[in-house]
Amino acid sequence: MTLSALNADIIVDQLNAGEITATDCVQHFLERIETHNSDLNAFISVSDKALEQAEAIDNRRKAGESLGCLAGLPIAIKDGICVAGQPTTAGSKMLEKFSAPYDATIVERLKSAGAIVIGKTNMDEFAMGSSTENSYFGSTNNPWATDRVPGGSSGGSAACVAGRLAPVAIGSDTGGSIRQPASFCGITGLKPTYGRVSRYGLIAFASSLDQIGPMTRTAKESALLMSVIAGFDPRDSTSSKEQVSDSLASLEIPLKGIRIGVCRDHLNEGLHLEVKTKINDAISVFKQLGANIEEIELPHTKSAVAAYYIIAPCEASSNLARYDGVRYTFRAQANDLEEMYRNTRGQGFGDEVKQRIMLGTYALSSGYYEAYYLKASKVRRMIKQDYDEAFQKVDLILGPTTPTPAFKLGQHTQDPLAMYLADIFTVSANLAGIPAISVPVEPSSTGLPIGLQLQGRAFEENILLRAAHQFQNETPWHTTSPSEPWRTQS
Amino acid sequence: MPDTPEQPIVNQVARLARIHLDEQQLKSSGEKLEQILSFVSQLEQVELPEDVIPFFGAIESVNAIRDDQLQTSVPREKILDNAPESDGEFYLVPPVFKQTDS
Amino acid sequence: MEDSVLNSNSNPQSTNRQAVSFNDAKIIIGLEVHVQLDTDSKLFCGCSTRFGEAANSQTCVICTGMPGALPVINRRALELSIRTGLSLNCRIARSTKWDRKNYFYPDLPKGYQISQFDQPICGPGHLDIQTTEASGQSRRIRIERAHLEEDAGKSIHDESSRRQSSKIDLNRTGTPLLEIVTHPDIRTAAEAKAFLSELKLILNYIDVSDCNMQQGNLRCDANVNLHIPLGGEQVATPIVEIKNLNSFRAVERSITFEAQRQFEAWQENGLTIADAPKQTRGWNDQTQTTTLQREKEDSADYRYFPDPDLIAVNIEETQIELIQSQLVQLPSTLRESLVTEYNLKPDDAAVIVSQGRGVVDYFLEVADGCQDSRIANNWIGQEVLRQLNELNQTIRQYPVSPQQFTELLKLVIAGTLDQTRGKEVLNAMVEHSISSEEAIKQLGIKPVDNSELVTLCETLIDENQKVVEQIRSGNEKAIGMLIGKARKINPNANPGLVKAMLSKMITG
């Protein structure tokens, strides 16, 4: 088997056993990037220090030093997360020339566990989008059919894992930005509980919703990455001190008796027929695993997208005020300060980002705050309460990750609302702060991946990963990779 | 929900957000804004208990506090390294004088 | 416009306005005071707050608003805020949170300032001030709130050339400020000054801030308008916020100027609070006038909302009690105790207390030691303060310890040293850092016994018969001349004793 076909846990085992070297491993994936990135455009930049770091790991291993649990494992990082000394663009012209002066907490943790950052992945500008078409650096293509979007905003991370340009990747999820592209690209993506993973060094889109998480082929690999990146960080005030449960250790605990809730509303109208069928098939798998399936209701989640499209732009309008041409961004030509601001922000931001800043600015401005931001935040409370009540009855909530498989490039670019509805099943977890995972189920008849979403109680990532892992024990969908050369049409 | 924004309001929002938009962009921005706002107007229909407390952040714990301890600052060269314009000591910005407003 | 004809000076309203005198107008003043809290590190990051370092040498990814960087609140800033709140009789919030105030300025790195909107750390309180007009009378100024926020950086504009760049220094960015807002309870410029003096004194006593106004550690904005009686009703003029007040004098003068200006403007145009929005005017120290500051249309739309990067801070009752129990005595308490327990006049007590806790402690130790608080006050309130002023020293640097000072005063009280000699001794003690004993030795001071005194007086009488005659004929003051001569012959002679003996010898 070639290296690129191996899962991260196997790669780590082989590295530890001395069967392969970190240098070989990094070299292999760099070559794959070299060969395939022109088709996929999954990476915005590739690290020029990766080989050096791999050699250092190999040397340390030779010297008998004790190494971290990811020693020598190549990893791709979404370009909205700071890696010291590397370009960190957030997919924006605004930060085209920005070199991060520091490591995000999760990058620090990954590095000290021995992981090697091989590159920074493409994304919708400032994570605003569901297709990676809003990147200043061009859209990413879905390796399952290159005329389709990989989803977004972490489309580069999803595409590079699906296309095996990196064994695993890190993404961030504000309204579905890990799970939706994971679903579109046929991989596993976990959005952890809000506060579970430090946001320090994650370029903020909407601070109360953003969360960093793993994007991998298997749930087991996600559990492995979570064992490194999860946990309290004193540099992030919103980071939780809650004990991190050992997901790796609990993966095989049988699911018998676990209660899984299904919300019928989410399996009805508007849903792509094949998505509905495959999700129902997946439900049968969980029944076989001993789960009890129960019907639940989440009455307020139908307002989730509307609440989300107020709250996220409001926070974004403020979070993105720092991109002003003064300290580290692109700066446009101007004769005076006001002109400098307006031209810099007019030219430095793409259309979707400008549109959301406009929306957020409007919704927060004098006289509108109560009708929009406050009202949406109250609806958000109701959504959270729905989940609190549902989780009294069940341990997990199951449904589709997205209403359809990956759509075509350009299909929704003129229709923001259609694009926003791609997030219909994912935004609620962000609003409520709960963890959720997307795992691949049987693809569509045209070979497009479909994702199943499991949502869990706050800080119970271990249960999500356990359920996902055992589903993957029973099904082959996570093991298949797109054929090369990539299909250009579906 | 308030009425959808009129064009002068769109202009004002663009000014407030310090984003230059030309006539065409202002118009299209106003249209999109209207589209989204009419979509989110469904929130109006959501019935809320009177005493509902808005939920602003997904974590409702308290007291993330640090001790008053000095940390080494980042060297000036490194901080100014990303600046579009600096003299090695200060960030430089265009002068703050009369807006050449339309 | 036709309307303007009706509103012209010929209308009865205008005539009435001309009839009102400035003295009838009541000045309504509210203050917003920004105090820099004396922390080592900034409010949300570990950079130093020290003043005067090289530009942009005290910044990091957090206080320069780099992408992805996050704030974490400084414990000491919270404690100092609570301490201040307790000293101003404020209700301390049990839960306090952070909000973003959004506006663009190059010295505001994030494009918003982290502040507190609806849950300030300190709620309503008050501060009693002594008004100069009626000594001993106090006025209660209500505090509306005090909230924590981060400071902005510094913009340096080159005004000589319009084309030149402005320079931005972010060292100050993120320094903790407590903004104390009063109700509009202040009625005169002098009261405003008195409020600020008392506030500054308290902040010094409780070690919250050094309040150095030159360094911007205490900044003040004043909201001013007038209530004018007109035809049995009160008319309020538009509120003006005066900015750039960098000294107590500027506060006092700007308010005086502004009140007069508003009165004249009102007489002229009759505009009231209902006709015009709040205006911002800057105080110009050169011209001693306020001038209208240009405002952007959107400057007031700060789009406050809760900062999602920070979580609420809950303040436990026990924590407040602990800070309360550690609170030092406040100036007002000390003044009161100097008057009631040490018998000082209120003005004298105020002088001692205004010098800071060090001088008060010095006074208390000396007064207790020498058992005569009036003498202690006379000497400390005059001699010591004068010397400190001349030496440009604080009481902690003063070379005479309270014990040594007590010894000196004991000699004065016992009559061993007269006032004049006593001061000579004190000067010597200060100059050479020596004890009173050593100073007395150095100055050759020794007691004069009775026989020496008799001889001295007899000599004086013999040699100054003309003066003696004057005294005998009723000019008692002439005796002063003899006492002066006595001092020249023997500086150690106690003038009181000399006087008594001479009187006895001359008038019998």
Side-chain angles (χ1 to χ4, degrees):
Chain A
M1 239 199 247
T2 75
L3 264 172
S4 51
L6 299 178
N7 293 340
D9 46 318
I10 308 292
I11 293 177
V12 168
D13 285 347
Q14 294 193 356
L15 283 163
N16 285 336
E19 293 165 24
I20 52 172
T21 65
T23 311
D24 288 345
C25 193
V26 164
Q27 186 72 50
H28 176 80
F29 283 101
L30 287 177
E31 277 165 16
R32 283 197 56 83
I33 295 171
E34 178 77 33
T35 312
H36 295 288
N37 197 48
S38 53
D39 294 337
L40 298 185
N41 196 29
F43 284 88
I44 292 178
S45 64
V46 177
S47 169
D48 52 9
K49 302 184 189 108
L51 272 175
E52 205 179 298
Q53 288 163 356
E55 279 165 30
I57 293 278
D58 287 335
N59 290 337
R60 287 176 57 199
R61 198 189 302 276
K62 255 184 246 158
E65 283 182 45
S66 78
L67 297 169
C69 68
L70 303 179
L73 179 72
I75 190 166
I77 307 278
K78 187 179 185 177
D79 209 23
I81 297 170
C82 290
V83 176
Q86 300 279 317
T88 298
T89 68
S92 181
K93 175 181 181 181
M94 200 55 113
L95 293 174
E96 190 178 5
K97 304 270 163 60
F98 179 68
S99 166
Y102 71 109
D103 273 332
T105 295
I106 65 118
V107 172
E108 229 174 59
R109 290 185 180 205
L110 287 166
K111 282 182 178 173
S112 67
I116 293 162
V117 177
I118 53 168
K120 305 292 297 291
T121 60
N122 200 6
M123 58 187 284
D124 285 300
E125 184 179 5
F126 288 106
M128 295 180 195
S130 308
S131 66
T132 317
E133 291 167 294
N134 295 334
S135 170
Y136 173 68
F137 302 95
S139 51
T140 294
N141 301 325
N142 191 321
W144 292 93
T146 54
D147 62 339
R148 299 212 170 233
V149 302
S153 65
S154 311
S157 287
C160 81
V161 172
R164 307 313 291 161
L165 307 195
V168 291
I170 293 290
S172 71
D173 189 317
T174 306
S177 283
I178 285 176
R179 291 160 287 156
Q180 185 256 18
S183 163
F184 280 11
C185 291
I187 65 165
T188 303
L190 172 69
K191 181 205 90 77
T193 309
Y194 187 83
R196 178 73 299 167
V197 177
S198 169
R199 294 186 298 114
Y200 189 79
L202 167 65
I203 296 181
F205 161 15
S207 313
S208 80
L209 303 161
D210 296 341
Q211 192 63 194
I212 291 174
M215 301 180 75
T216 60
R217 197 143 60 162
T218 67
K220 188 174 183 186
E221 291 168 292
S222 279
L224 178 65
L225 292 186
M226 282 298 282
S227 74
V228 173
I229 64 173
F232 174 67
D233 176 11
R235 289 181 293 191
D236 174 2
S237 303
T238 63
S239 148
S240 172
K241 289 180 178 160
E242 188 89 16
Q243 186 85 30
V244 181
S245 48
D246 187 345
S247 298
L248 275 173
S250 59
L251 287 177
E252 303 294 348
I253 299 173
L255 291 185
K256 189 159 175 45
I258 202 164
R259 298 163 304 169
I260 297 183
V262 174
C263 189
R264 280 295 148 201
D265 290 348
H266 294 182
L267 279 176
N268 285 328
E269 67 258 55
L271 201 58
H272 188 280
L273 198 63
E274 279 196 282
V275 173
K276 187 175 176 175
T277 317
K278 309 300 179 192
I279 295 299
N280 278 324
D281 292 349
I283 291 175
S284 309
V285 175
F286 279 105
K287 279 184 186 157
Q288 284 160 28
L289 283 164
N292 301 324
I293 306 296
E294 290 173 34
E295 290 221 9
I296 54 145
E297 280 182 46
L298 297 168
H300 293 94
T301 54
K302 61 176 181 292
S303 310
V305 174
Y308 175 84
Y309 276 95
I310 289 299
I311 292 167
C314 282
E315 292 185 22
S317 71
S318 174
N319 281 334
L320 272 61
R322 66 187 62 195
Y323 307 108
D324 60 2
V326 178
R327 295 167 313 284
Y328 46 74
T329 57
F330 158 80
R331 180 192 286 183
Q333 273 297 316
N335 294 315
D336 66 45
L337 184 70
E338 283 299 312
E339 199 180 294
M340 190 279 279
Y341 280 146
R342 303 225 287 260
N343 291 352
T344 295
R345 292 167 61 80
Q347 295 165 30
F349 290 135
D351 287 344
E352 181 64 20
V353 170
K354 282 189 274 197
Q355 193 58 41
R356 295 204 200 183
I357 292 174
M358 291 283 288
L359 174 57
T361 304
Y362 174 75
L364 283 178
S365 66
S366 169
Y368 301 113
Y369 174 85
E370 300 212 344
Y372 292 118
Y373 184 76
L374 199 62
K375 177 79 192 225
S377 299
K378 287 178 177 171
V379 172
R380 186 177 181 182
R381 168 74 62 192
M382 303 310 290
I383 291 168
K384 183 174 186 290
Q385 283 178 0
D386 282 357
Y387 278 108
D388 289 345
E389 279 165 33
F391 284 126
Q392 302 276 323
K393 283 172 59 186
V394 298
D395 303 305
L396 292 173
I397 295 170
L398 181 154
T401 307
T402 57
T404 67
F407 46 85
K408 293 209 162 160
L409 286 157
Q411 191 175 331
H412 291 329
T413 42
Q414 292 314 310
D415 184 0
L417 271 185
M419 187 77 92
Y420 293 177
L421 289 173
D423 301 333
I424 190 162
F425 300 129
T426 49
V427 292
S428 299
N430 300 81
L431 290 168
I434 57 170
I437 194 168
S438 178
V439 290
V441 296
E442 187 178 0
S444 75
S445 52
T446 55
L448 293 175
I450 294 171
L452 160 91
Q453 176 175 245
L454 295 170
Q455 302 174 89
R457 286 186 206 98
F459 303 107
E460 290 188 353
E461 283 80 5
N462 55 334
I463 301 182
L464 284 181
L465 287 163
R466 185 177 128 210
H469 173 70
Q470 294 186 38
F471 178 78
Q472 292 181 338
N473 281 346
E474 300 299 313
T475 57
W477 319 120
H478 61 290
T479 63
T480 53
S481 285
S483 57
E484 292 176 35
W486 322 115
R487 261 198 317 166
T488 53
Q489 276 192 320
S490 48
Chain B
M1 294 276 154
D3 293 337
T4 48
E6 303 287 332
Q7 205 62 41
I9 295 180
V10 178
N11 298 356
Q12 198 197 315
V13 172
R15 198 156 43 228
L16 200 53
R18 301 295 189 281
I19 293 177
H20 174 79
L21 299 174
D22 61 28
E23 283 300 311
Q24 185 52 44
Q25 290 168 321
L26 279 169
K27 190 166 167 288
S28 115
S29 179
E31 285 163 8
K32 284 186 192 153
L33 212 51
E34 197 177 313
Q35 194 188 359
I36 302 297
L37 289 172
S38 85
F39 170 72
V40 301
S41 71
Q42 61 177 276
L43 291 177
E44 231 173 328
Q45 263 77 61
V46 182
E47 279 183 37
L48 297 171
E50 224 154 82
D51 54 352
V52 65
I53 302 162
F55 184 40
F56 294 124
I59 178 170
E60 289 190 291
S61 65
V62 291
N63 295 10
I65 302 174
R66 50 172 265 275
D67 289 333
D68 182 25
Q69 271 166 4
L70 288 180
Q71 305 274 326
T72 320
S73 291
V74 179
R76 182 163 70 190
E77 311 83 74
K78 199 168 171 187
I79 277 285
L80 294 178
D81 192 42
N82 278 299
E85 198 187 345
S86 104
D87 62 2
E89 274 185 277
F90 294 91
Y91 297 95
L92 300 181
V93 295
V96 191
F97 62 82
K98 255 186 260 126
Q99 280 175 267
T100 48
D101 235 331
S102 50
Chain C
M1 284 187 291
E2 279 172 68
D3 281 0
S4 64
V5 177
L6 295 173
N7 286 331
S8 76
N9 286 345
S10 62
N11 78 34
Q13 276 285 327
S14 169
T15 319
N16 290 346
R17 290 204 302 274
Q18 299 310 318
V20 180
S21 143
F22 176 67
N23 292 333
D24 299 332
K26 198 153 66 165
I27 311 175
I28 310 295
I29 304 156
L31 298 179
E32 291 170 15
V33 186
H34 286 89
V35 179
Q36 182 184 323
L37 301 177
D38 190 13
T39 56
D40 289 335
S41 67
K42 294 183 178 181
L43 186 53
F44 294 112
C45 67
C47 288
S48 169
T49 56
R50 212 160 28 178
F51 180 82
E53 299 294 310
N56 292 305
S57 65
Q58 291 173 171
T59 68
C60 68
V61 297
I62 298 168
C63 59
T64 57
M66 287 275 179
L70 295 171
V72 182
I73 186 83
N74 181 333
R75 180 188 312 281
R76 186 164 162 81
L78 292 170
E79 285 167 0
L80 294 180
S81 300
I82 295 170
R83 201 190 286 173
T84 307
L86 291 172
S87 305
L88 298 175
N89 311 291
C90 291
R91 201 172 62 217
I92 306 301
R94 293 302 182 273
S95 175
T96 187
K97 73 169 182 53
W98 314 97
D99 301 278
R100 292 184 182 176
K101 179 180 181 179
N102 295 284
Y103 66 95
F104 286 89
Y105 208 71
D107 60 21
L108 187 74
K110 298 186 295 296
Y112 57 84
Q113 177 191 31
I114 303 176
S115 181
Q116 302 195 288
F117 184 62
D118 59 350
Q119 289 180 41
I121 185 160
C122 303
H126 63 261
L127 176 59
D128 293 332
I129 56 164
Q130 308 293 318
T131 56
T132 41
E133 284 91 33
S135 187
Q137 288 279 343
S138 77
R139 282 253 297 127
R140 174 156 295 185
I141 308 301
R142 288 172 302 152
I143 310 283
E144 188 185 315
R145 59 183 278 162
H147 63 261
L148 249 177
E149 62 187 26
E150 55 176 350
D151 204 350
K154 227 164 47 183
S155 303
I156 302 156
H157 308 297
D158 189 343
E159 295 187 0
S160 56
S161 130
R162 279 161 52 92
R163 281 279 149 194
Q164 257 215 316
S165 304
S166 297
K167 297 169 161 188
I168 310 296
D169 173 9
L170 298 180
N171 279 353
R172 202 179 63 186
T173 307
T175 299
L177 296 178
L178 188 69
E179 180 175 341
I180 301 165
V181 183
T182 77
H183 280 278
D185 288 352
I186 299 168
R187 290 290 169 271
T188 65
E191 277 183 11
K193 188 182 170 192
F195 176 87
L196 287 170
S197 309
E198 185 67 6
L199 177 64
K200 182 179 169 184
L201 194 61
I202 290 172
L203 295 168
N204 273 319
Y205 267 76
I206 63 178
D207 265 331
V208 154
S209 173
D210 69 1
C211 297
N212 185 327
M213 287 186 92
Q214 271 77 49
Q215 294 182 5
N217 298 353
L218 186 77
R219 280 170 254 163
C220 180
D221 302 333
N223 288 295
V224 179
N225 78 336
L226 302 177
H227 286 181
I228 306 168
L230 184 71
E233 289 187 19
Q234 287 261 348
V235 183
T237 58
I239 296 178
V240 166
E241 181 174 3
I242 317 173
K243 294 205 176 259
N244 298 347
L245 301 176
N246 299 321
S247 67
F248 288 179
R249 181 189 287 187
V251 172
E252 208 175 5
R253 291 191 174 174
S254 67
I255 291 172
T256 306
F257 172 87
E258 184 57 27
Q260 190 70 44
R261 188 199 66 77
Q262 286 187 20
F263 186 75
E264 284 163 17
W266 173 77
Q267 281 199 318
E268 179 92 13
N269 59 28
L271 289 182
T272 70
I273 195 164
D275 306 319
K278 184 165 149 179
Q279 218 180 56
T280 304
R281 298 178 73 89
W283 173 246
N284 185 327
D285 241 335
Q286 246 103 56
T287 60
Q288 298 279 300
T289 56
T290 63
T291 46
L292 188 61
Q293 289 192 337
R294 189 174 177 282
E295 279 185 82
K296 299 184 188 81
E297 298 160 63
D298 56 34
S299 69
D301 202 343
Y302 291 126
R303 289 160 286 137
Y304 279 101
F305 78 107
D307 190 332
D309 285 334
L310 289 160
I311 55 177
V313 172
N314 280 359
I315 302 166
E316 301 294 328
E317 196 74 42
T318 52
Q319 193 189 353
I320 297 172
E321 279 165 13
L322 180 70
I323 295 174
Q324 179 87 62
S325 71
Q326 291 165 341
L327 207 58
V328 298
Q329 277 184 304
L330 295 177
S332 56
T333 317
L334 285 168
R335 274 191 296 258
E336 173 90 22
S337 102
L338 291 189
V339 170
T340 57
E341 292 167 39
Y342 287 84
N343 246 338
L344 298 196
K345 291 183 199 138
D347 287 353
D348 291 337
V351 168
I352 295 285
V353 171
S354 72
Q355 297 303 311
R357 182 72 216 198
V359 171
V360 173
D361 287 340
Y362 195 96
F363 168 80
L364 292 176
E365 195 168 343
V366 172
D368 290 345
C370 75
Q371 293 289 309
D372 189 331
S373 56
R374 286 295 185 114
I375 295 240
N377 173 59
N378 287 343
W379 280 70
I380 294 170
Q382 288 164 31
E383 293 309 307
V384 176
L385 296 187
R386 182 182 53 76
Q387 284 172 334
L388 289 178
N389 198 28
E390 283 169 11
L391 298 166
N392 196 18
Q393 281 181 338
T394 67
I395 191 73
R396 277 174 245 287
Q397 300 163 307
Y398 189 57
V400 181
S401 74
Q403 294 81 5
Q404 290 168 346
F405 206 93
T406 303
E407 290 312 310
L408 170 65
L409 289 194
K410 277 182 180 166
L411 295 175
V412 173
I413 292 162
T416 318
L417 289 174
D418 62 76
Q419 294 273 335
T420 314
R421 293 247 79 181
K423 285 172 190 172
E424 286 170 27
V425 171
L426 179 60
N427 286 339
M429 290 166 76
V430 170
E431 196 176 331
H432 306 294
S433 296
I434 50 177
S435 68
S436 54
E437 223 168 280
E438 289 167 313
I440 286 167
K441 204 181 285 172
Q442 209 173 76
L443 290 169
I445 298 174
K446 45 180 190 258
V448 178
D449 69 25
N450 204 46
S451 64
E452 274 181 273
L453 212 56
V454 170
T455 317
L456 177 66
C457 288
E458 283 171 353
T459 314
L460 283 169
I461 290 169
D462 287 351
E463 292 176 359
N464 297 284
Q465 279 301 315
K466 268 192 187 156
V467 182
V468 171
E469 280 311 314
Q470 281 176 19
I471 297 166
R472 287 214 174 104
S473 60
N475 183 0
E476 282 175 23
K477 279 182 187 162
I479 202 163
M481 199 184 288
L482 295 182
I483 295 168
K485 288 180 188 263
R487 280 194 83 87
K488 277 194 187 136
I489 297 164
N490 183 351
N492 290 328
N494 183 317
L497 297 177
V498 171
K499 186 184 176 189
M501 191 169 284
L502 282 172
S503 300
K504 203 173 166 196
M505 287 178 169
I506 295 168
T507 55

